[in-house]
Amino acid sequence: MKAIKWLDRHFEELFLVFFSVIMVGSISLQVFMRFIVGSSLEWSEELARYCFIWLVYMGISYGVKKQRHIKVDVLLLLFKDKGKVVLNFAANFIFLLFALFVVVYGSSIAVYILGWGQASPALSIPMGLVYLATPVGMGATAIRLIQQMMKQYTFLRGGKVDKEEVTADRMTDNYGVSDELEESIDGRRGRA
């Protein structure tokens, strides 16, 4: 059970770190080869491009998980707690429908391209694997949206959910600071 909770907390982060390291490493290697050695690699830019595609789609899911995706919140200023939650629930529902649409059609395109056998020019990897970034990333986004909607629904029903978790404006918090670090910082401030 601990492994599942850990994976739930860090699933997107694993992908983001993995693809970031590969992308930065391949670009750095290309720069080294071009300017120091005087030779060029034909595969490094392609690998970096494909890693960036996966980064973007997994980043959407991470943004939804952390409630830091871009949104217009002018209407949220007009409402109090429950009104904000209802409006966010409706927005998440529309986003969920879009994510599911992308998963269905993105999967069919990826499977079609995998069956067609198209390969990338430099790395010769199946292009269907690159196209799988869309349904995988949007599938993870859909799961995160469902998790948020469940919390919002529980809050609206009067269940035990932290009010700040479903009503707070997540755009004003410490960007990039993990929840554990944030709690330890708050604890230190209380002792001082």
Side-chain angles (χ1 to χ4, degrees):
M1 195 61 151
K2 280 186 176 182
I4 292 172
K5 284 185 179 183
W6 186 88
L7 192 60
D8 179 51
R9 291 179 64 107
H10 301 289
F11 179 73
E12 292 87 354
E13 294 164 3
L14 288 172
F15 275 96
L16 293 174
V17 168
F18 176 74
F19 287 117
S20 293
V21 166
I22 292 175
M23 186 175 72
V24 169
S26 68
I27 291 171
S28 299
L29 183 61
Q30 176 71 327
V31 169
F32 175 78
M33 290 298 291
R34 227 180 245 184
F35 294 109
I36 305 300
V37 177
S39 179
S40 182
L41 301 170
E42 57 271 341
W43 54 266
S44 64
E45 292 174 33
E46 186 176 283
L47 179 61
R49 186 179 320 122
Y50 297 155
C51 286
F52 184 71
I53 291 168
W54 274 88
L55 273 170
V56 167
Y57 283 105
M58 294 310 292
I60 294 169
S61 177
Y62 184 73
V64 168
K65 178 179 113 176
K66 294 292 187 176
Q67 297 181 34
R68 289 187 179 103
H69 50 288
I70 298 172
K71 60 183 171 184
V72 178
D73 60 353
V74 173
L75 285 176
L76 289 175
L77 299 174
L78 301 174
F79 296 103
K80 295 290 180 195
D81 295 341
K82 285 202 176 190
K84 285 181 182 182
V85 174
V86 169
L87 194 60
N88 277 327
F89 187 88
N92 283 342
F93 182 73
I94 293 168
F95 192 5
L96 176 64
L97 292 177
F98 172 73
L100 293 174
F101 174 81
V102 171
V103 167
V104 169
Y105 286 100
S107 297
S108 65
I109 290 170
V111 167
Y112 176 75
I113 291 175
L114 277 171
W116 195 29
Q118 181 184 6
S120 67
L123 293 170
S124 297
I125 61 170
M127 286 302 294
L129 295 179
V130 177
Y131 281 84
L132 273 176
T134 304
V136 169
M138 293 306 277
T141 300
I143 291 169
R144 295 303 183 183
L145 286 166
I146 290 169
Q147 288 175 336
Q148 279 185 14
M149 290 171 66
M150 288 171 50
K151 288 177 187 173
Q152 292 165 341
Y153 180 75
T154 303
F155 176 78
L156 291 172
R157 296 280 317 247
K160 206 172 187 181
V161 175
D162 183 20
K163 178 182 165 185
E164 291 295 316
E165 195 172 346
V166 291
T167 62
D169 180 11
R170 300 290 289 193
M171 298 302 287
T172 59
D173 69 353
N174 301 326
Y175 292 101
V177 176
S178 69
D179 296 334
E180 297 91 6
L181 183 58
E182 216 170 287
E183 289 170 5
S184 70
I185 291 170
D186 290 340
R188 288 183 189 150
R189 285 183 192 150
R191 283 186 258 148

